[in-house]
Amino acid sequence: MNSVRASNVSRRPRRVSRPRPVQPERNHQERDEDVPADMVAEESGPGAQNSPYQLRRKSLPKRTVCPTKTNMEGASTSTTENFGHRPKRPRVSGKCQDLPAPAEQYLQEKLPDEVVLKIFSYLLEQDLCRAACVCKRFSELANDPILWKRLYMEVFEYTRPMMHPEAGKFYQINPEEYEQPNPWKESFQQLYKGAHVKPGFAEHFYSNPARYKGRDNMFYYDTIEDALGGGQEPHFDGLIFVHSGIYTDEWIYIESPITMIGAAPGKVAEKVIIENTRDSTFVFMEGSEDAYVGYMTIRFNPDDKSAQHHNAHHCLEITVNCSPIIDHCIIRSTCTVGSAVCVSGQGACPTIKHCNISDCENVGLYITDHAQGIYEDNEISNNALAGIWVKNHGNPIIRRNHIHHGRDVGVFTFDHGMGYFESCNIHRNRIAGFEVKAYANPTVVRCEIHHGQTGGIYVHEKGRGQFIENKIYANNFAGVWITSNSDPTIRGNAIFNGNQGGVYIFGDGRGLIEGNDIYGNALAGIQIRTNSCPIVRHNKIHDGQHGGIYVHEKGQGVIEENEVYSNTLAGVWVTTGSTPVLRRNRIHSGKQVGVYFYDNGHGVLEDNDIYNHMYSGVQIRTGSNPKIRRNKIWGGQNGGILVYNSGLGFIEDNEIFDNAMAGVWIKTDSNPTLRRNKIHDGRDGGICIFNGGRGLLEENDIFRNAQAGVLISTNSHPVLRKNRIFDGFAAGIEITNHATATLEGNQIFNNRFGGLFLASGVNVTMKDNKIMNNQDAIEKAVSRGVTPVTQQTATPSV
């Protein structure tokens, strides 16, 4: 048993030939075809399903009787039908023959249905078909489904008809729902030729030829090995039925296109059990391209669960250049190494469908070494290692599988593994639902990945992959993790209700995050950190319990054309040395700040719409120095842009309007640069600089604000150069509380409470300013290099 695999075929036991009993001599007319044509006799008339029958006597009109063929093959079930050549009716004195004898007439016409059915119940299938050819009444009665169900269950054991319309396709039906009146007979015809593995029955079958006359095309064996060795029997077409029982330690090496199917009542696969304790239970080899195995339990259950005492460690093994079909099987392995199903090698391309691969002490389904195949509608659960492994250029198609409650990861692709995964339900696995590693590149489409005990999708160590239109939700950690130079595509997914974040990119991760709907997560919708540099675009990131996008610890990335809204904290956070580029995003309706730069957060914020936040549209603090260009910032309840606590920044070409407080606040030692901005229609002041604020304000248009165009207060000292401050509803520039300022080349006009208001103790350096057409205050034309006299005038409170 421990010989190398190359000798496996040579050590298969030879089939022991069993002497067959001599069959009784049959005349020429009894040598029927393999499947008599009688078996397709038409089932017509209402009597085919009238059961139980009402007791009645038939009284039929007299009819002429013509000679019939002695061989009933192909005989008509109606007196009006013609099948092939029919002999001429002999002439008898110009008259038809007499009516049948009274006994025959009574049998055909007047004998009660119950009695005829009782007689028919003793017939086997071929004789029943011949009886159906006698007359229309016999055709109706001989096609009674109850008769055929009894015969069918005696031969095949199925309690529901097993239909076999074409090679490699078997399925059970409910007789009540089938469109034809007698599915039992139809299934019998489809399954008629076959070998049966039924321990203990073979001797009885061959010892009673008279009892089973007409079943010459059926073969019976005690073991599966014997049935596989019986391929040279005449009329054997490769169909093997394995009946109820447990078959242990048989050498099942399949290298021909045989069909092997379990045959048992009720749940068929649970009643037919094939197991091995020493070697792989099933091995498919080259030559088994069209083999089929279905409706059985296949187990590998070694006494020693480790690798020491057996060569192979797989329950079912599919090797190079073979493409069998495995259908409706229960597959189990208690070995702690290997896998339950191993598909390996170039040309290994099975179809595995409707199988249950569960409760294994190793990997469930293992696809490797360029193997492919189609895997559909399987249940893969509670395996000690991954439910599915794909590696080394394996490239399967996996559809509608249910992969759940694994004690490890749900699906693991690595070492250049690929594959197409569609409409799978992957949930409640102990580690990630889907893991991609080491140049693996799977495509995952329209799957549900949820309730993972850690994350949903984990891509690491240069993994790739395309994850498209999936639902990723309710995972304990992030819905998607991307790390260590990995570069996947995450497109069109719904990523929601995670117990942590939505998408988490860290450790030099990259990737394209595009067109996703990310919402309702406990932490940030997207988190970028530690030198990661993804492309994030066209996403909706909303209604998070934390922030929308969080970029920290030197995170980077291009974040463009997203809609970020209704998050509990900031729409976008940029911090701790991070430098993302945010372009053409709509960031709105947040419950705090729109975009928040702090603790040396940098980067570029350009061409965005930032509006309707409960706090400021943009905040910059503690050494942060972003470039903020060409944005529209409006509707903030705490101002447009707030720069404080030593914040910096280049704020250029923005339009800042309709904010509840100042369009721009600069305070507490902050020193930003504001150029060419339009700051207008604020419900408070235009720019407010106080508490030691500084800054360069250059070439800005500041107009139609409810309070002062520029308010400078409390030890602040900005530089205002070439600004236009006009049409304000208060003063143009107001300087108070020991503040100073440098004013050069500004135009201040059409303001309601004066162009320039200076409180006592204020010193201002002015040069080339134009102050004109302002109302209700003293206008001063100030010549070059002149410091104006300090004045104190009553003005509206600020």
Side-chain angles (χ1 to χ4, degrees):
M1 297 298 177
N2 296 321
S3 59
V4 296
R5 172 55 50 84
S7 65
N8 284 339
V9 176
S10 62
R11 55 191 170 88
R12 182 196 303 142
R14 297 175 56 190
R15 178 175 179 264
V16 178
S17 60
R18 181 167 47 253
R20 299 278 294 272
V22 178
Q23 300 291 333
E25 197 67 31
R26 299 190 299 168
N27 61 34
H28 175 73
Q29 293 168 342
E30 289 179 322
R31 295 192 180 98
D32 304 317
E33 293 296 325
D34 292 342
V35 181
D38 311 36
M39 295 201 49
V40 296
E42 181 181 359
E43 302 121 17
S44 61
Q49 289 183 319
N50 290 344
S51 181
Y53 285 85
Q54 298 296 323
L55 188 62
R56 59 189 170 87
R57 295 183 183 277
K58 300 280 286 184
S59 178
L60 301 178
K62 294 182 179 180
R63 56 182 177 176
T64 58
V65 176
C66 299
T68 58
K69 294 166 44 173
T70 55
N71 186 351
M72 300 304 296
E73 292 182 10
S76 172
T77 61
S78 171
T79 59
T80 62
E81 294 176 348
N82 295 317
F83 283 75
H85 176 72
R86 186 171 183 175
K88 294 182 179 180
R89 180 180 303 167
R91 299 179 182 273
V92 181
S93 302
K95 298 180 180 180
C96 292
Q97 293 180 345
D98 295 332
L99 292 171
E104 296 175 359
Q105 183 180 10
Y106 181 78
L107 179 63
Q108 292 186 28
E109 300 175 0
K110 297 184 178 181
L111 192 65
D113 290 351
E114 288 80 359
V115 178
V116 178
L117 287 169
K118 184 64 176 178
I119 295 171
F120 284 176
S121 70
Y122 292 100
L123 302 181
L124 296 185
E125 55 278 356
Q126 290 194 11
D127 291 331
L128 200 56
C129 288
R130 292 188 180 98
C133 297
V134 172
C135 63
K136 183 174 181 180
R137 182 186 178 213
F138 276 23
S139 175
E140 294 173 353
L141 296 177
N143 283 298
D144 178 70
I146 294 177
L147 292 176
W148 283 95
K149 179 178 179 181
R150 179 191 61 80
L151 275 174
Y152 185 88
M153 293 182 64
E154 175 187 309
V155 175
F156 301 107
E157 297 192 58
Y158 300 123
T159 49
R160 291 190 301 155
M162 177 71 74
M163 308 310 292
H164 178 39
E166 59 188 58
K169 187 172 184 180
F170 292 84
Y171 58 90
Q172 288 189 295
I173 62 166
N174 293 318
E176 304 81 14
E177 300 173 359
Y178 196 63
E179 58 186 12
Q180 299 298 328
N182 194 348
W184 303 99
K185 181 180 178 182
E186 186 173 342
S187 179
F188 206 123
Q189 178 183 337
Q190 293 173 359
L191 305 179
Y192 188 65
K193 296 180 183 180
H196 294 257
V197 180
K198 197 171 185 180
F201 185 76
E203 183 177 356
H204 168 74
F205 180 80
Y206 291 119
S207 300
N208 294 275
R211 169 70 180 85
Y212 299 105
K213 181 181 178 181
R215 290 185 176 172
D216 298 338
N217 294 326
M218 294 185 186
F219 307 98
Y220 281 87
Y221 301 92
D222 287 324
T223 68
I224 299 172
E225 289 182 80
D226 285 349
L228 290 173
Q232 286 72 38
E233 296 280 3
H235 308 297
F236 178 67
D237 65 353
L239 176 58
I240 299 174
F241 295 95
V242 183
H243 287 262
S244 304
I246 299 177
Y247 302 81
T248 304
D249 286 340
E250 297 198 46
W251 299 97
I252 305 176
Y253 284 72
I254 298 176
E255 48 190 347
S256 63
I258 63 98
T259 296
M260 186 184 302
I261 183 170
K267 295 182 179 179
V268 181
E270 296 178 2
K271 306 289 181 61
V272 181
I273 300 171
I274 302 173
E275 70 174 6
N276 204 309
T277 62
R278 296 169 292 178
D279 203 351
S280 294
T281 310
F282 271 75
V283 179
F284 291 87
M285 306 175 71
E286 191 167 358
S288 61
E289 287 79 7
D290 298 315
Y292 175 96
V293 171
Y295 292 88
M296 58 182 66
T297 294
I298 304 171
R299 296 195 306 218
F300 180 41
N301 188 23
D303 297 329
D304 184 347
K305 310 300 182 185
S306 68
Q308 297 181 5
H309 296 294
H310 42 87
N311 275 336
H313 319 299
H314 313 292
C315 180
L316 192 151
E317 187 174 349
I318 299 166
T319 60
V320 297
N321 296 326
C322 61
S323 52
I325 298 174
I326 315 299
D327 183 20
H328 281 95
C329 287
I330 299 171
I331 302 171
R332 301 284 186 267
S333 175
T334 60
C335 183
T336 57
V337 295
S339 63
V341 179
C342 177
V343 185
S344 65
Q346 190 78 43
C349 189
T351 297
I352 298 180
K353 57 185 180 179
H354 305 114
C355 291
N356 186 308
I357 306 171
S358 302
D359 303 309
C360 302
E361 296 303 320
N362 45 36
V363 175
L365 172 60
Y366 179 31
I367 303 163
T368 185
D369 298 339
H370 298 271
Q372 299 179 359
I374 298 173
Y375 308 82
E376 295 179 330
D377 302 296
N378 303 289
E379 182 165 3
I380 302 172
S381 65
N382 195 36
N383 296 292
L385 297 181
I388 299 176
W389 272 19
V390 183
K391 65 174 290 190
N392 194 19
H393 302 281
N395 192 16
I397 296 173
I398 297 179
R399 294 190 183 101
R400 299 183 302 278
N401 294 277
H402 189 191
I403 304 163
H404 62 100
H405 288 94
R407 288 171 271 168
D408 198 88
V409 67
V411 179
F412 184 24
T413 59
F414 62 108
D415 289 352
H416 299 277
M418 296 181 288
Y420 178 80
F421 298 79
E422 181 182 7
S423 301
C424 296
N425 188 359
I426 305 170
H427 64 96
R428 290 181 171 85
N429 296 284
R430 190 179 68 84
I431 306 180
F434 207 111
E435 183 174 349
V436 183
K437 176 183 177 182
Y439 300 101
N441 189 19
T443 299
V444 183
V445 179
R446 291 185 291 278
C447 295
E448 290 193 25
I449 304 170
H450 58 101
H451 291 93
Q453 295 182 37
T454 55
I457 296 170
Y458 181 30
V459 188
H460 62 117
E461 296 184 28
K462 299 182 179 180
R464 298 184 64 194
Q466 293 78 44
F467 296 86
I468 301 169
E469 296 180 7
N470 303 284
K471 290 183 178 179
I472 304 164
Y473 59 94
N475 296 286
N476 280 348
F477 294 172
V480 179
W481 291 19
I482 303 170
T483 184
S484 52
N485 296 294
S486 296
D487 190 16
T489 296
I490 312 294
R491 178 182 291 128
N493 304 281
I495 305 171
F496 59 97
N497 294 350
N499 293 329
Q500 289 193 7
V503 180
Y504 183 22
I505 309 161
F506 63 104
D508 298 290
R510 289 172 291 162
L512 171 62
I513 317 300
E514 183 177 51
N516 303 284
D517 191 6
I518 304 172
Y519 62 93
N521 297 287
L523 297 182
I526 297 177
Q527 186 175 163
I528 305 169
R529 62 182 285 247
T530 52
N531 298 306
S532 296
C533 189
I535 297 172
V536 180
R537 66 187 180 201
H538 302 143
N539 301 283
K540 289 185 177 180
I541 305 163
H542 60 100
D543 294 292
Q545 301 173 43
H546 197 268
I549 300 174
Y550 184 25
V551 189
H552 62 121
E553 297 181 31
K554 298 183 179 180
Q556 302 174 46
V558 176
I559 302 169
E560 59 185 10
E561 299 184 20
N562 303 281
E563 186 170 10
V564 184
Y565 61 97
S566 298
N567 295 286
T568 301
L569 301 182
V572 180
W573 293 17
V574 182
T575 182
T576 52
S578 298
T579 57
V581 176
L582 290 92
R583 294 192 186 102
R584 298 184 297 279
N585 301 283
R586 294 177 64 212
I587 305 168
H588 64 94
S589 307
K591 299 173 184 176
Q592 286 194 6
V593 180
V595 182
Y596 188 17
F597 296 90
Y598 69 102
D599 292 349
N600 296 299
H602 309 304
V604 176
L605 182 68
E606 62 185 13
D607 298 307
N608 302 280
D609 279 356
I610 304 169
Y611 60 93
N612 287 350
H613 292 90
M614 294 296 294
Y615 293 2
S616 303
V618 178
Q619 287 191 14
I620 305 170
R621 55 169 283 193
T622 51
S624 297
N625 190 22
K627 294 179 175 62
I628 300 177
R629 299 191 289 243
R630 299 188 301 277
N631 302 282
K632 288 185 178 181
I633 304 169
W634 54 278
Q637 298 303 306
N638 195 25
I641 298 176
L642 171 59
V643 189
Y644 65 111
N645 290 359
S646 303
L648 302 169
F650 292 88
I651 303 170
E652 300 175 333
D653 299 300
N654 301 282
E655 186 171 5
I656 305 168
F657 62 97
D658 193 30
N659 295 284
M661 301 182 72
V664 178
W665 295 60
I666 304 171
K667 63 178 185 177
T668 52
D669 301 311
S670 296
N671 190 18
T673 298
L674 280 75
R675 290 193 180 99
R676 300 181 300 279
N677 300 283
K678 291 183 178 181
I679 305 168
H680 63 93
D681 292 293
R683 286 169 273 168
D684 199 278
I687 299 175
C688 183
I689 307 169
F690 62 106
N691 289 350
R694 291 175 291 162
L696 171 63
L697 280 62
E698 190 171 54
E699 299 182 9
N700 301 283
D701 279 359
I702 305 168
F703 58 95
R704 288 202 304 269
N705 296 286
Q707 299 295 332
V710 178
L711 173 63
I712 305 169
S713 179
T714 53
N715 301 308
S716 298
H717 185 77
V719 174
L720 281 72
R721 184 179 297 138
K722 298 181 181 179
N723 301 283
R724 299 200 314 161
I725 306 167
F726 60 96
D727 292 339
F729 294 97
I733 299 175
E734 182 175 350
I735 306 175
T736 65
N737 292 341
H738 307 288
T740 62
T742 299
L743 308 178
E744 297 180 358
N746 300 285
Q747 297 181 35
I748 308 169
F749 58 93
N750 290 346
N751 296 286
R752 182 166 297 178
F753 292 119
L756 176 65
F757 175 80
L758 305 178
S760 60
V762 169
N763 293 312
V764 178
T765 300
M766 302 183 65
K767 181 179 179 181
D768 295 333
N769 299 284
K770 292 183 179 180
I771 305 173
M772 55 190 175
N773 298 330
N774 298 287
Q775 305 173 18
D776 301 329
I778 299 174
E779 296 180 1
K780 293 182 175 291
V782 183
S783 59
R784 189 180 190 86
V786 176
T787 301
V789 177
T790 300
Q791 297 184 7
Q792 185 170 3
T793 310
T795 62
S797 61
V798 178

